[in-house]
Amino acid sequence: MTDSAGGPVVGVDVGGTETKAVLVDASGTVLAQRRRATPPPSSDTAQRVLDLTSSLVADLSEHTAPAAVGFVVPGIVDESRGVAVFSGNLGWSDVPFASLLAERIGLPVAFGHDVRAGALAEHRLGAAREASDAVFLPVGTGISAAHVQSGRVYAAGGYAGEIGQVPISARIRLEEVASAGAISRRYQDRTGTPVAGAADVARRVAAGDPVATAVWDEAVDALGGALIWLTALLAPEVVVVGGGLSQAGPLLFDPLTRRVEEDWNLQRTPRIVPAALGDCAGSLGAALLAAELVGTT
């Protein structure tokens, strides 16, 4: 988004709990943004997500007409076909979102994966700007990762990055221990006390709650182990941690960095940093995809 002759674009990021949309001009300036709750999983979630996205695009188009829309979703995504292959959290399979949305809104649609779009944005605009090789690791409702390799986001046909599904012990996946959703759920299961998400658990950790501390430490340990796997395989210069959990600041990043530094000494240790773009990385990445589609980058 650097060609001043190009028009503005819209980026829409469908998350597990919230959908974010931005209107961005050719210089990269955010002109307007919107957030709405993502429809819960049901037999018609894909249809409702299309309804929501069309509404967001129409709303943002009142400011200025966009040249294209970037639309990114979670799960297994085949960008080349414009198809959402599968999403366990949102309950759809084999949805041709790119063609369906383009037909609805009458605009070119660039379709992609939410985490890979976030990695693209952090690499071009955010915390991984100086790195040729980086990993973007958002920790929110679920856990996924994206690898920037020599400046390009690696997709492997849409199947790369599903580290949240990797077992960390018998029948337990990383996502079931270390995601933001898992942290709040595991605290509630152990105490019977409802909490307002992982941020609430983090506050209880800071206040010295022993159960919250145990749940938090288990999550950090599991995440640290995952970063060691990624470092061994990919040797990134930097790991950018995003999603809701990254808002915990030193409570997360200090022990996570120690975990990796203490247990990994065979090659360079990556810098572990918070996402610079916050929870807007996915929508900004979607806007970058849209700008690429119409040639304004």
Side-chain angles (χ1 to χ4, degrees), residues 34-210:
R34 298 287 185 271
R35 294 167 181 258
R36 295 186 193 166
T38 299
S42 68
S43 60
D44 65 345
T45 299
Q47 182 68 39
R48 295 170 67 194
V49 164
L50 283 168
D51 292 341
L52 172 59
T53 302
S54 300
S55 174
L56 288 167
V57 172
D59 192 2
L60 290 172
S61 297
E62 292 179 359
H63 294 267
T64 183
V69 172
F71 179 54
V72 300
V73 301
I76 306 299
V77 171
D78 186 339
E79 289 98 334
S80 65
R81 295 192 297 127
V83 173
V85 178
F86 177 75
S87 171
N89 288 336
L90 290 173
W92 61 53
S93 61
D94 294 321
V95 182
F97 272 124
S99 60
L100 291 173
L101 183 61
E103 183 179 350
R104 280 198 178 210
I105 64 177
L107 290 169
V109 172
F111 181 64
H113 184 260
D114 59 346
V115 176
R116 288 192 286 278
L120 179 67
E122 287 290 346
H123 176 62
R124 294 207 187 157
L125 310 171
R129 280 194 308 272
E130 306 300 321
S132 177
D133 296 283
V135 165
F136 178 52
L137 180 71
V139 184
T141 306
I143 300 176
S144 188
H147 179 211
V148 177
Q149 184 180 50
S150 300
R152 297 180 63 85
V153 182
Y154 181 69
Y159 290 89
E162 293 295 326
I163 66 165
Q165 306 307 311
V166 174
I168 58 173
S169 63
R171 296 182 299 279
I172 298 177
R173 297 171 295 147
L174 175 65
E175 197 169 272
E176 295 171 330
V177 173
S179 67
I183 288 171
S184 58
R185 183 171 58 253
R186 295 177 84 228
Y187 180 83
Q188 290 175 177
D189 287 347
R190 294 186 189 185
T191 64
T193 302
V195 290
D200 195 357
V201 178
R203 287 189 287 271
R204 292 166 187 262
V205 173
D209 182 324

